[in-house]
């Protein structure tokens, strides 16, 4: 298994990654925001994504977004292809994208929102803490990304204070690990 920073050489996999995210949302019945192949390509071109490949086949992916003029970095789009699940790959990818975030944005608070227990456990082990949504970025562009999630109505009804997702935050200024 090769896990590396995604780049131009991986753009041919963007549609497959996008479809995998969509299928996972349907299969689990959870709220996962859709990501277009073009959006994924943008992350690959900026070298702000981590990809796992085995025998030239897509195995997993996650990318970094920056919000609030660099005050926050968020990890999103964590996905593992079905045939590679249950082997700890999500944890490895998440750790790599976490370390990449700390390297590129050493002063940024790193956050994520998720409905998945497995991701919550991974985040907790990396030093994230559950937080209220008010402690996450207030950048409206971030919250626009939630529009394709089936739970978006909850987020809008509560004026972005609550949802079915759990917000988790790593603050580099706190002793987390």
């Amino acid at each position: 298994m090769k896990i590396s920073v995604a780049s131009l050489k991986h753009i041919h996999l963007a549609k497959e990654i996008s479809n995998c995210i969509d299928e996972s949302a349907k299969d689990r019945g959870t709220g996962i925001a859709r990501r277009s192949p073009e959006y994924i390509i943008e992350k690959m071109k900026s070298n702000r994504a981590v990809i796992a490949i085995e025998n030239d086949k897509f195995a997993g992916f996650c990318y970094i977004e920056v919000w609030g003029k660099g005050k926050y970095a968020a990890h999103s789009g964590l996905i593992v292809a079905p045939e590679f699940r249950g082997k700890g790959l999500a944890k490895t990818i998440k750790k790599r994208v976490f370390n990449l975030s700390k390297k590129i944005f050493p002063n940024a608070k790193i956050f994520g929102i998720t409905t998945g227990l497995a991701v919550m456990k991974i985040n907790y082990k990396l030093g994230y803490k559950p937080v209220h949504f008010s402690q996450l970025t207030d950048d409206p562009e971030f919250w626009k990304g939630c529009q394709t999630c089936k739970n978006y109505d909850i987020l809008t009804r509560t004026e972005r204070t609550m949802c079915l997702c759990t917000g988790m935050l790593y603050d580099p200024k706190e002793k987390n690990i």
Side-chain angles (χ1 to χ4, degrees):
M1 178 82 56
K2 181 173 169 119
I3 301 172
S4 60
V5 175
S7 64
L8 293 174
K9 70 181 180 182
H10 300 110
I11 62 174
H12 67 283
L13 298 169
K15 185 170 182 165
E16 184 179 354
I17 293 167
S18 176
N19 289 342
C20 189
I21 292 169
D22 287 349
E23 289 303 314
S24 181
K26 287 178 199 167
D27 290 347
R28 292 187 293 167
T30 59
I32 300 174
R34 300 187 75 214
R35 298 296 184 240
S36 70
E38 295 77 22
Y39 191 83
I40 291 168
I41 289 169
E42 178 187 316
K43 301 303 155 206
M44 292 175 170
K45 286 181 176 179
S46 70
N47 299 114
R48 291 184 180 173
V50 170
I51 192 163
I53 307 283
E54 185 169 273
N55 298 324
D56 297 320
K57 186 165 175 48
F58 155 72
F61 182 78
C62 188
Y63 65 86
I64 303 165
E65 280 286 8
V66 183
W67 305 103
K69 298 177 183 167
K71 187 176 176 184
Y72 294 92
H75 300 155
S76 198
L78 177 61
I79 192 70
V80 173
E83 59 269 32
F84 297 99
R85 291 181 185 156
K87 300 174 183 174
L89 183 57
K91 181 179 178 179
T92 304
I93 292 170
K94 185 73 175 185
K95 187 169 185 163
R96 288 286 296 271
V97 82
F98 180 72
N99 289 331
L100 181 62
S101 296
K102 290 194 310 183
K103 180 181 175 184
I104 299 171
F105 309 103
N107 299 314
K109 293 178 180 180
I110 302 171
F111 76 95
I113 59 173
T114 185
T115 56
L117 180 59
V119 174
M120 286 182 222
K121 287 179 178 181
I122 292 167
N123 286 350
Y124 186 76
K125 286 182 181 177
L126 290 171
Y128 290 68
K129 294 189 171 89
V131 296
H132 191 271
F133 277 20
S134 65
Q135 291 180 262
L136 306 178
T137 184
D138 61 356
D139 190 323
E141 289 301 310
F142 170 78
W143 298 103
K144 279 185 184 178
C146 296
Q147 288 177 340
T148 58
C149 175
K150 73 179 200 169
N151 300 316
Y152 186 66
D153 66 312
I154 298 167
L155 188 65
T156 54
R157 269 195 330 263
T158 64
E159 296 177 355
R160 294 194 313 241
T161 61
M162 289 182 275
C163 193
L164 296 182
C165 284
T166 298
M168 298 190 77
L169 182 72
Y170 169 86
D171 187 340
K173 293 178 182 150
E174 293 180 10
K175 295 248 184 217
N176 291 303
I177 298 176

